Amino acid sequence: GDDLEIIEAAWGLGEAVVSGSVSPDNYVVKGDKITQKKIAKKEIMIVRDRKTRKTKKIDVPEDRKDAQVLTEPEIIKLAKLGKLVEEHYGKPQDIEWAVQGGEIYLLQSRPITTIQKREVKGDKASGEIILEGLGASPGVASGKVKIVKSMDTLDRVLDGDILVTKMTTPDMVPAMKRSAAIVTDEGGLTCHAAIVSRELGTPAVVGTKEATKVLQDEQVITVDGEMGHVMLGAVKKEAPEAKAEKGALPAIAVTKPITATEVKVNVSIPEAAERAKETMADGVGLLRIEHMILGLNTHPEVYMKSGRSGEYVDELVKGIRTVADAFYPKPVWVRTLDAPTDEFRAMKGGENEPFEHNPMLGMRGIRRDLRETEHFKLEMAAFKKLFEMGYDNIGIMLPLVQHPSELRRAKELMVEAGIDLDKVDVGIMVEIPASALVIDDFIKEGLDFVSFGTNDLTQYTLAVDRNNELVADLYNELHPAVLKLIEYVIGECNKAGVKTSICGQAGSRPDVAKRLVAMGITSISANIDAVEAVREMVARTEH
Ligand code: PEP
Ligand code: MG
């Protein structure tokens, strides 16, 4: 809004910046002036390996490690291009670019909708600054430093501590949740620590280069995640009246267009429920429970084998309830477990997970739950408890369904668990071409909704592994075959009065939303940061 542009730059391919494996240079341009330059120490770079034709990580040559990546004319030129793109789309953009042979290439652009809104103005702290980095997630918090060097020291991070580490990884999320603030050596504004902290609403400073060296265990510090400052001691906030709850979005005046197509939000971490709610979404189109379970860091089998199933059920109830509460009475579609063996093997007690040649085509989704019915029964026990508590806004969604018999069997088990199918919406993910093609048989079997899991539907329709960067160029959610399957399912469901939705990543793309509205979809579920842009596009398309 105030003409500010932030440019991050590193040597080699942009992947290193996005993944947070390098601390990029950070330049701030205001109008046509460079107002700030932070030159980072760039340890590694990702380059193309001519032999294998893959990318590889190499050390940055010594003389370039501390060198400024972009020249000043390049910074200014890039800022001008950025302005042009912003004007074209009419809103602030997050743009990926590259410079090769003196030419600037724009690679990708998407709207920024969240960062601006989440700036917690007035919640600043002043004190002796002992470390500086990038303000990656706003807010101020004080606490004791816990330096995490390896995963087995994660337990030392207690509620309210400040997690200090080189760079966070997904298995650190449970500790990140306990932390009052997060400080990392490495990373830029789009690295893992930055994204997760923003979803959690935890103040974070990333890319400090030397937090793990400068800070000492048990030392009390204050982190200002907006300014990117780390201060010694517990520093008082300057403007207590401008208090913002940790994780809450500051109140802003927003006019929300009313759309006939519902615009919902996806949630993976229950702690993100309040932030998801702030998007004013029409419900939750996908609540993944895998993250909840991974967060327990104990394999479900361990609970079952040690007579602690009740405890496990209570954990599920707690996580789901947080989201169901935040959205009540709006619908929350909770997806039953979709746990690939390779991800669950890393958990405590996960050593029994089978090794599969093709985990994506193997024991995951409903097929797994229908074999290991003991686990499915625990999930159903959790749902039953929630219904008894009065959460009539919860729907049950089955992942990776391939044949109507799976839906039938799952419903039988629900009934056996004492769930009244007349009172709860049950639906399936359409993420295998087979289930799209025989959608009529599913409708005959009886279901209340379907939701397109385009991440998987794309990989299975095009035979392109969604995690394989070698074929990533062939991964196309807009392939005519994928669209044809979606269009067919929407058509058949509309005839039968079955609701249709999308919860794959494609639903966060306004260009996809536009097509889906034209096809007559009932709702679209997007990521927190995409809800607003999708809603605008839906409104425009409907008009
Ligand atoms: C999908 O496949 O599009 C989806 C939403 O499920 P997941 O990404 O969890 O496989
Ligand atoms: Mg899927």
Side-chain angles (χ1 to χ4, degrees), residues 286 288 335 338 364 429 431 453-456 466 503-504:
L286 167 65
R288 289 187 172 100
R335 184 173 76 178
D338 184 4
R364 54 175 291 216
M429 302 269 298
E431 46 187 353
T454 44
N455 306 340
D456 281 316
R466 61 193 256 193
C503 58

Side-chain angles (χ1 to χ4, degrees), residues 8-312:
E8 290 191 325
W11 302 112
L13 298 170
E15 188 191 327
V17 177
V18 177
S19 67
S21 49
V22 70
S23 307
D25 283 2
N26 182 284
Y27 321 112
V28 177
V29 181
K30 203 164 180 182
D32 53 5
K33 293 215 170 49
I34 302 171
T35 56
Q36 196 180 307
K37 282 196 297 190
K38 284 187 189 170
I39 312 304
K41 191 171 188 71
K42 295 153 293 280
E43 301 282 1
I44 62 107
M45 61 199 275
I46 293 177
V47 296
R48 173 168 174 238
D49 186 333
R50 296 201 183 270
K51 270 189 239 124
T52 62
R53 306 180 70 195
K54 290 187 197 174
T55 58
K56 63 175 179 187
K57 211 189 233 186
I58 60 168
D59 286 334
V60 172
E62 274 315 316
D63 60 328
R64 285 208 279 163
K65 277 191 179 158
D66 293 301
Q68 182 174 326
V69 175
L70 292 180
T71 63
E72 311 219 328
E74 278 171 337
I75 295 171
I76 295 297
K77 201 168 159 193
L78 201 55
K80 276 198 185 130
L81 275 171
K83 268 268 150 306
L84 218 58
V85 177
E86 177 177 325
E87 273 164 32
H88 175 77
Y89 286 110
K91 52 169 58 187
Q93 299 288 307
D94 175 354
I95 302 167
E96 286 184 24
W97 49 272
V99 177
Q100 164 86 355
E103 287 282 336
I104 296 180
Y105 297 86
L106 295 188
L107 308 175
Q108 174 185 298
S109 183
R110 58 181 168 191
I112 304 174
T113 51
T114 50
I115 295 175
Q116 280 186 324
K117 276 201 276 176
R118 286 177 189 179
E119 280 177 1
V120 183
K121 289 271 152 48
D123 203 10
K124 288 192 174 67
S126 53
E128 188 199 338
I129 298 168
I130 51 170
L131 193 64
E132 274 186 82
L134 298 170
S137 180
V140 175
S142 307
K144 269 192 204 159
V145 168
K146 292 289 167 72
I147 297 177
V148 171
K149 293 222 164 103
S150 66
M151 294 312 290
D152 46 316
T153 58
L154 267 183
D155 289 348
R156 292 180 46 248
V157 180
L158 306 177
D159 267 343
D161 282 343
I162 299 197
L163 171 64
V164 178
T165 189
K166 212 163 152 200
M167 175 43 58
T168 60
T169 51
D171 23 2
M172 286 189 192
V173 170
M176 294 172 77
K177 286 183 191 167
R178 296 195 292 271
S179 308
I182 294 162
V183 182
T184 67
D185 287 349
E186 300 174 350
L189 291 179
T190 49
C191 71
H192 179 266
I195 290 168
V196 173
S197 304
R198 286 200 291 264
E199 187 164 347
L200 294 173
T202 304
V205 175
V206 302
T208 61
K209 298 191 197 104
E210 47 185 11
T212 55
K213 289 198 199 94
V214 171
L215 301 176
Q216 277 154 26
D217 245 343
E218 303 293 332
Q219 183 180 34
V220 174
I221 58 166
T222 299
V223 177
D224 184 334
E226 187 181 351
M227 301 304 289
H229 294 163
V230 175
M231 287 149 286
L232 209 52
V235 174
K236 285 228 167 59
K237 290 173 189 174
E238 257 173 15
E241 70 282 1
K243 178 172 155 291
E245 285 288 313
K246 180 185 166 219
L249 293 175
I252 39 155
V254 179
T255 45
K256 173 190 160 189
I258 304 291
T259 56
T261 312
E262 290 171 317
V263 179
K264 300 185 180 178
V265 64
N266 299 332
V267 180
S268 294
I269 306 177
E271 282 75 359
E274 284 300 321
R275 304 180 78 75
K277 182 188 171 184
E278 300 284 344
T279 63
M280 296 182 285
D282 298 315
V284 174
L286 167 65
L287 172 59
R288 289 187 172 100
I289 65 169
E290 294 79 58
H291 291 255
M292 243 177 257
I293 296 172
L294 284 167
L296 299 173
N297 200 25
T298 304
H299 197 284
E301 210 178 88
V302 175
Y303 286 94
M304 292 189 263
K305 291 216 166 123
S306 57
R308 289 159 62 208
S309 294
E311 202 181 310
Y312 181 75

Side-chain angles (χ1 to χ4, degrees), residues 208-453:
T208 61
K209 298 191 197 104
E210 47 185 11
T212 55
K213 289 198 199 94
V214 171
L215 301 176
Q216 277 154 26
D217 245 343
E218 303 293 332
Q219 183 180 34
V220 174
I221 58 166
T222 299
V223 177
D224 184 334
E226 187 181 351
M227 301 304 289
H229 294 163
V230 175
M231 287 149 286
L232 209 52
V235 174
K236 285 228 167 59
K237 290 173 189 174
E238 257 173 15
E241 70 282 1
K243 178 172 155 291
E245 285 288 313
K246 180 185 166 219
L249 293 175
I252 39 155
V254 179
T255 45
K256 173 190 160 189
I258 304 291
T259 56
T261 312
E262 290 171 317
V263 179
K264 300 185 180 178
V265 64
N266 299 332
V267 180
S268 294
I269 306 177
E271 282 75 359
E274 284 300 321
R275 304 180 78 75
K277 182 188 171 184
E278 300 284 344
T279 63
M280 296 182 285
D282 298 315
V284 174
L286 167 65
L287 172 59
R288 289 187 172 100
I289 65 169
E290 294 79 58
H291 291 255
M292 243 177 257
I293 296 172
L294 284 167
L296 299 173
N297 200 25
T298 304
H299 197 284
E301 210 178 88
V302 175
Y303 286 94
M304 292 189 263
K305 291 216 166 123
S306 57
R308 289 159 62 208
S309 294
E311 202 181 310
Y312 181 75
V313 169
D314 288 342
E315 289 288 351
L316 291 179
V317 168
K318 193 169 86 188
I320 297 169
R321 188 183 171 183
T322 307
V323 182
D325 251 339
F327 280 83
Y328 196 83
K330 292 174 180 172
V332 173
W333 290 346
V334 183
R335 184 173 76 178
T336 60
L337 186 63
D338 184 4
T341 48
D342 50 342
E343 281 178 30
F344 269 44
R345 195 176 302 122
M347 299 175 84
K348 210 182 288 167
E351 20 339 297
N352 293 337
E353 289 286 324
F355 280 91
E356 299 178 289
H357 282 297
N358 274 312
M360 284 295 190
L361 298 178
M363 286 284 283
R364 54 175 291 216
I366 192 66
R367 57 183 66 169
R368 178 171 183 160
D369 258 351
L370 290 183
R371 267 166 238 216
E372 297 167 7
T373 51
E374 281 317 304
H375 185 268
F376 193 67
K377 283 177 187 163
L378 296 184
E379 292 172 80
M380 293 310 123
F383 283 120
K384 176 128 191 291
K385 265 195 167 175
L386 287 157
F387 297 139
E388 282 166 1
M389 291 161 108
Y391 292 101
D392 51 7
N393 60 329
I394 293 175
I396 304 176
M397 181 155 76
L398 307 171
L400 224 78
V401 175
Q402 175 246 35
H403 190 277
S405 60
E406 292 168 329
L407 171 61
R408 186 182 320 144
R409 180 71 188 126
K411 288 203 294 184
E412 278 166 14
L413 289 166
M414 287 179 202
V415 172
E416 277 172 31
I419 290 173
D420 183 350
L421 293 184
D422 290 332
K423 291 198 181 138
V424 49
D425 276 355
V426 174
I428 58 162
M429 302 269 298
V430 168
E431 46 187 353
I432 299 180
S435 58
L437 293 169
V438 300
I439 193 65
D440 289 345
D441 295 330
F442 280 101
I443 294 172
K444 275 186 217 132
E445 195 58 56
L447 80 177
D448 300 295
F449 64 87
V450 310
S451 182
F452 298 105

